[in-house]
Amino acid sequence: MNRTTLSLIAGATALAAVTGFAVLTAPDPTAADDGVATAAARLPVERSSLLCPTPSSSDLAETTYTSFTPVTKGAESGGSAELRPAAAGRPAEKDPEGGGKDGEEETGEEGGGEETAASAKTGKPVLEHKKEPGKPVTAETSGGEEPALLGTAEGRFAPGWTVQQTTEVAAGAGRGLQGVTCTAPDTEFWFPGASTAAGRTDYVHLTNPDGSAAVVDIEVYGKDGALKTEVGEGITVKPHSSEPVLLSTLTDEEQTDVTVHVVVRSGRVGAAVQALDDSLGGDWLAASADPAGSLVLPGIPEDATAVRLVVLTPGNVDADLKVQLASPSGLITPAGNETVHVKGGMTTAVDLGDVTRGEAGSLVLTPTDRSVPVVAAVRVLRGKGDDQESAFVPAAREVGLRATSAGNTAKGSVLAVTAPEEAAKVKVTVSAGSEGGTPATETYTIKAGTTQNIEISVPDDVEGTYALTVEPESDDTPVYASRTLTAPDDGVPAFTVQTLPDDRGMVAVPHTEEDLSVLQK
């Protein structure tokens, strides 16, 4: 049998296989009328990845991880979610027996624990979530030797999987409450609000979830444009590992407000900035929403004593922005700060003082004329004198179909929701507690142009921490939200704020049909 005959047989076999597949998967011709396009279906995701940065270098740090997956219709059966320690240059090894640490203290009836540093050496999970979605699972750890964590959720635990990392630091630089929502890996991040000033110690944490090295560039933009950096280019992050980069080692220039741009040349990473102040506490600075002409910074605490807005336009074109506060009664313009002019490629900072004046508020930035993409964040102070604490609110992405917030407590959580354009109705669900209880759901109406601090009605039987899910009832009305955690400590009003973007629980799957004509081309 010659080579030509073999080729013909192979081609015929391939055609038969493709044709057979097309026939078996052909859509029902009665499902839709001819000429009518079918909208893409939204289906639950089957796998999610999250990355949690190294929580603290302080020996006085106490860290809690809270894992939560909302119940999602149509999700696969089975599956699990787990957090494992990042390791330098190698993936964390699974426990061959599939269990937790020997003698660990479990919380939430599943694999939480308190010996995370030991887990880093053994490769055992820090936290496992296997029983059922809809109930949080927690793990606790202490000290300054805890590693970054790599998280994976599959099956019914993947849609909307959210992990909150909250750390209390009793004293020293960054003392107070530091919180961050563990992030999905990506290739670009903007962090307005970082600093290279004396008294500030800011780290850019880069975490690589993959089996090959990632190469990352870090750019820093100050008040006069890009700062000269010595070692910011070509930073290698080893596979399955985390790399903290001290911002002040990248440049000799000390500036109070800078914008950090993380660009991944190859691979992907999770990124967050840990901003520690010698006297004003500290917190995690999460990435701003992607550059856009209009931005919303939701949920500035009502008792904020100082608010500092930091804005950058990434290009060379200047931007002029109208500054408004979405208060409980509507949009108002801060006196003396009606607009802000942002020079192209330069970081601009504006002190807004106690702009909220005792009421819930969200900043709304819109173009005064032409739309120029910008990124933004605010640094918020609470307290006075030596008892001040700081946190950050970056520009947020919309809530979308559903947003999820984990790690809430009965007395220390505030949910802020804003509808900057039109009135909106949102459904808010309190989950079962990590130590028991039943979920409850209520619907709230947010008036156009306002921010509402929602007083969450937590059922009496909910014990431990709980999660919140926020679901707008209309897809056409933009809604933004954030959650504030508070934990006063010896007169210091310790707090942390996390925005609530879409939890990525659903993905659009386009309608497809077979087309055998491609075989003739």
Side-chain angles (χ1 to χ4, degrees), residues 216 253 298 303 305-306 312 372 389 391 416-417 422 434 441 495 499:
V216 179
E253 295 190 47
D303 60 349
T305 53
L312 170 83
V372 178
E389 161 74 319
V417 182
E422 300 177 11
S434 57
T441 300
F495 74 115
T499 59

Side-chain angles (χ1 to χ4, degrees), residues 135-191:
K135 181 179 179 181
V137 174
T138 65
E140 297 179 354
T141 185
S142 61
E145 298 182 358
E146 306 309 315
L149 301 182
L150 313 179
T152 303
E154 297 179 336
R156 60 179 178 164
F157 290 91
W161 184 44
T162 301
V163 176
Q164 171 72 16
Q165 173 183 299
T166 305
T167 302
E168 293 188 49
V169 179
R175 61 96 178 93
L177 198 63
Q178 302 173 19
V180 63
T181 301
C182 300
T183 59
D186 208 338
T187 58
E188 186 178 28
F189 307 85
W190 292 94
F191 299 99

Side-chain angles (χ1 to χ4, degrees), residues 1-7:
M1 190 176 295
N2 60 32
R3 193 172 295 176
T4 302
T5 305
L6 288 172
S7 298

Side-chain angles (χ1 to χ4, degrees), residues 198-273:
R200 273 279 289 270
T201 306
D202 287 17
Y203 288 89
V204 183
H205 286 255
L206 307 171
T207 306
N208 179 8
D210 298 324
S212 58
V215 180
V216 179
D217 292 339
I218 299 179
E219 303 166 348
V220 184
Y221 295 87
K223 60 183 179 180
D224 299 316
L227 303 183
K228 182 180 179 181
T229 58
E230 301 295 335
V231 291
E233 295 184 358
I235 298 171
T236 298
V237 186
K238 297 178 181 179
H240 306 285
S241 71
S242 186
E243 186 75 28
V245 180
L246 181 59
L247 197 58
S248 61
T249 63
L250 300 183
T251 177
D252 293 332
E253 295 190 47
E254 293 186 359
Q255 293 199 18
T256 302
D257 302 288
V258 300
T259 300
V260 175
H261 185 206
V262 175
V263 184
V264 184
R265 289 193 202 174
S266 64
R268 55 183 189 151
V269 300
V273 172

Side-chain angles (χ1 to χ4, degrees), residues 211-448:
S212 58
V215 180
V216 179
D217 292 339
I218 299 179
E219 303 166 348
V220 184
Y221 295 87
K223 60 183 179 180
D224 299 316
L227 303 183
K228 182 180 179 181
T229 58
E230 301 295 335
V231 291
E233 295 184 358
I235 298 171
T236 298
V237 186
K238 297 178 181 179
H240 306 285
S241 71
S242 186
E243 186 75 28
V245 180
L246 181 59
L247 197 58
S248 61
T249 63
L250 300 183
T251 177
D252 293 332
E253 295 190 47
E254 293 186 359
Q255 293 199 18
T256 302
D257 302 288
V258 300
T259 300
V260 175
H261 185 206
V262 175
V263 184
V264 184
R265 289 193 202 174
S266 64
R268 55 183 189 151
V269 300
V273 172
Q274 189 174 36
L276 309 178
D277 194 288
D278 289 346
S279 59
L280 299 175
D283 205 351
W284 288 95
L285 171 57
S288 168
D290 294 336
S294 299
L295 297 174
V296 177
L297 294 75
I300 299 172
E302 58 189 8
D303 60 349
T305 53
V307 176
R308 187 172 179 84
L309 171 65
V310 183
V311 189
L312 170 83
T313 172
N316 296 321
V317 180
D318 292 3
D320 288 289
L321 299 171
K322 179 190 293 186
V323 180
Q324 293 179 294
L325 182 75
S327 71
S329 58
L331 289 169
I332 60 176
T333 301
N337 292 295
E338 296 83 357
T339 62
V340 58
H341 178 73
V342 186
K343 294 182 179 180
M346 302 179 187
T347 296
T348 299
V350 179
D351 285 320
L352 301 178
D354 58 343
V355 63
T356 58
R357 299 187 181 278
E359 294 185 320
S362 302
L363 279 186
V364 180
L365 307 179
T366 54
T368 59
D369 188 7
R370 61 175 176 173
S371 180
V372 178
V374 297
V375 293
V378 292
R379 184 187 186 186
V380 180
L381 295 182
R382 296 175 70 222
K384 297 181 179 180
D386 295 335
D387 294 332
Q388 293 186 82
E389 161 74 319
S390 58
F392 298 88
V393 182
R397 296 178 176 87
E398 292 182 25
V399 168
L401 293 178
R402 178 186 64 193
T404 301
S405 168
N408 298 283
T409 59
K411 295 183 179 180
S413 299
V414 176
L415 175 66
V417 182
T418 183
E421 298 178 9
E422 300 177 11
K425 286 188 176 181
V426 295
K427 182 172 68 174
V428 178
T429 300
V430 177
S431 76
S434 57
E435 299 175 11
T438 55
T441 300
E442 289 192 31
T443 299
Y444 301 87
T445 298
I446 313 300
K447 296 179 180 179

